[in-house]
């Protein structure tokens, strides 16, 4: 009973560190959610102003190795270290490179953090991201769905202390939708041990019914479909998603 109480307290601490409401960002409609597989888990997402620049809106989505209390505490440390690094730079690549050194120096051997950091320039409507082993972001634009490959090294944070990450920039257009998912969605299994899979996610995102939905409804539509696939099987992994929909054209022209 004591252990159950402690796990519930840890869950409450972890969830309190994640956003309780969707952010208000001019020109964008953004929604996010995270559902741990156990009382506490290793997934995390947040919203942040990068480098003290009001127009650089950052979205970190990460997944620490392991489950339960240990994963939750690692997530808390990583989120705190990120908050510190995010004040120093607006570059996702630079932030991940510096954060990697912190994870390497403070984590036990064999502990890794898959980390995706997205930066959105609110004036130019450009997406810049660096990816350290996380599920690739998916962009739906003009009815076409594509996974966005990153450039440079792809090692999760904590694997190699000398990793130097690189970033990629993509121009966004009004009506575009960006989906940031952890592998709790793609790896969701039903009672027959069949995973939902990346291809099924991409087919789901191609559904034209999504086009007229706000970000919150898109997120619920996807989640419902995955849960239908899983059925009565237990949730095996944390499920985290952030949806970003572009609602207005660039303002720098």
């Amino acid at each position: 009973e004591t252990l159950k109480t402690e796990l519930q307290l840890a869950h409450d601490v972890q969830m309190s560190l994640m956003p309780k409401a969707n952010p208000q960002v001019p020109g964008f409609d953004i929604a996010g959610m995270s559902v741990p597989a156990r009382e506490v888990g290793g997934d995390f997402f947040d919203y942040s102003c990068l480098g003290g620049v009001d127009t650089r809106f950052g979205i970190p989505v990460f997944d620490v190795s392991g489950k339960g209390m240990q994963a939750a505490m690692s997530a808390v440390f990583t989120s705190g270290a990120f908050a510190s690094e995010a004040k120093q730079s607006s570059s996702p690549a630079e932030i991940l490179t510096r954060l990697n050194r912190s994870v390497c120096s403070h984590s036990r051997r064999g502990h890794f953090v898959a980390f995706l950091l997205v930066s959105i320039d609110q004036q130019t409507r450009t997406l810049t991201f660096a990816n350290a082993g996380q599920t690739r972001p998916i962009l739906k634009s003009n009815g076409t769905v594509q996974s966005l490959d990153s450039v440079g090294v792809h090692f999760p944070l904590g694997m190699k202390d000398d990793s130097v990450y690189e970033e990629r920039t993509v121009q966004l257009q009004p009506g575009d939708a960006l989906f940031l998912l952890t592998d709790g969605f793609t790896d969701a299994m039903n009672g027959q041990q069949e995973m939902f899979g990346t291809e099924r996610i991409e087919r789901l995102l191609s559904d034209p019914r999504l086009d007229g939905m706000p970000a919150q409804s898109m997120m619920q539509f996807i989640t419902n479909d995955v849960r239908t696939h899983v059925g009565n099987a237990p949730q095996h992994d944390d499920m985290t998603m952030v949806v970003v929909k572009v609602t207005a054209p660039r303002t720098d022209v």
Side-chain angles (χ1 to χ4, degrees):
E1 190 66 26
T2 299
L3 177 59
K4 183 177 180 180
T5 300
E6 290 180 349
L7 286 173
Q8 184 60 49
L9 288 172
H11 170 271
D12 293 344
V13 169
Q14 180 196 4
M15 299 306 292
S16 72
L17 294 175
M18 285 187 272
K20 299 177 179 63
N22 296 328
Q24 302 300 311
V25 181
F28 296 89
D29 176 21
I30 303 174
M33 58 165 280
S34 184
V35 181
R38 302 184 182 183
E39 289 87 346
V40 287
D43 276 15
F44 190 91
F45 79 99
D46 203 356
Y47 307 120
S48 176
C49 174
L50 300 183
V53 181
D54 291 339
T55 59
R56 295 294 180 89
F57 187 77
I59 307 174
V61 178
F62 65 83
D63 179 6
V64 304
S65 58
K67 295 287 182 295
M69 181 72 76
Q70 185 175 23
M73 294 303 98
S74 296
V76 170
F77 164 77
T78 304
S79 66
F82 166 76
S84 177
E85 296 297 346
K87 297 177 182 178
Q88 310 302 319
S89 174
S90 61
S91 163
E94 183 177 338
I95 292 172
L96 287 197
T97 298
R98 292 162 61 98
L99 184 58
N100 177 62
R101 291 195 286 267
S102 295
V103 173
C104 283
S105 61
H106 289 88
S107 301
R108 61 180 177 81
R109 184 178 179 86
H111 167 77
F112 309 117
V113 182
F115 201 116
L116 170 66
L117 178 56
V118 164
S119 171
I120 296 175
D121 190 306
Q122 299 173 50
Q123 293 181 331
T124 63
R125 301 292 190 261
T126 52
L127 160 73
T128 303
F129 70 95
N131 195 348
Q134 183 56 275
T135 303
R136 292 178 295 177
I138 302 175
L139 177 65
K140 183 174 185 179
S141 181
N142 292 323
T144 300
V145 174
Q146 62 172 324
S147 295
L148 300 179
D149 291 319
S150 57
V151 293
V153 299
H154 299 78
F155 298 126
L157 304 183
M159 182 170 288
K160 296 183 64 177
D161 60 4
D162 60 350
S163 292
V164 176
Y165 295 93
E166 299 179 40
E167 60 193 32
R168 177 183 174 187
T169 298
V170 177
Q171 182 65 56
L172 301 175
Q173 305 295 336
D176 286 359
L178 179 71
F179 301 88
L180 314 177
L181 310 169
T182 59
D183 59 8
F185 280 89
T186 55
D187 293 352
M189 290 188 293
N190 59 21
Q192 291 72 48
Q193 303 295 300
E194 297 171 334
M195 290 196 302
F196 194 79
T198 301
E199 290 185 3
R200 193 172 297 181
I201 282 283
E202 293 181 354
R203 287 199 303 270
L204 178 61
L205 298 185
S206 298
D207 192 319
R209 288 178 292 175
L210 285 172
D211 297 341
M213 295 182 185
Q216 183 72 34
S217 298
M218 286 182 172
M219 187 170 63
Q220 195 60 55
F221 182 86
I222 298 165
T223 302
N224 289 345
D225 201 80
V226 173
R227 285 177 171 162
T228 297
H229 168 79
V230 171
N232 294 325
Q235 182 181 337
H236 292 284
D237 200 0
D238 306 335
M239 299 172 65
T240 299
M241 181 193 313
V242 178
V243 178
V244 180
K245 186 172 183 179
V246 186
T247 59
R250 56 195 299 179
T251 59
D252 64 326
V253 293

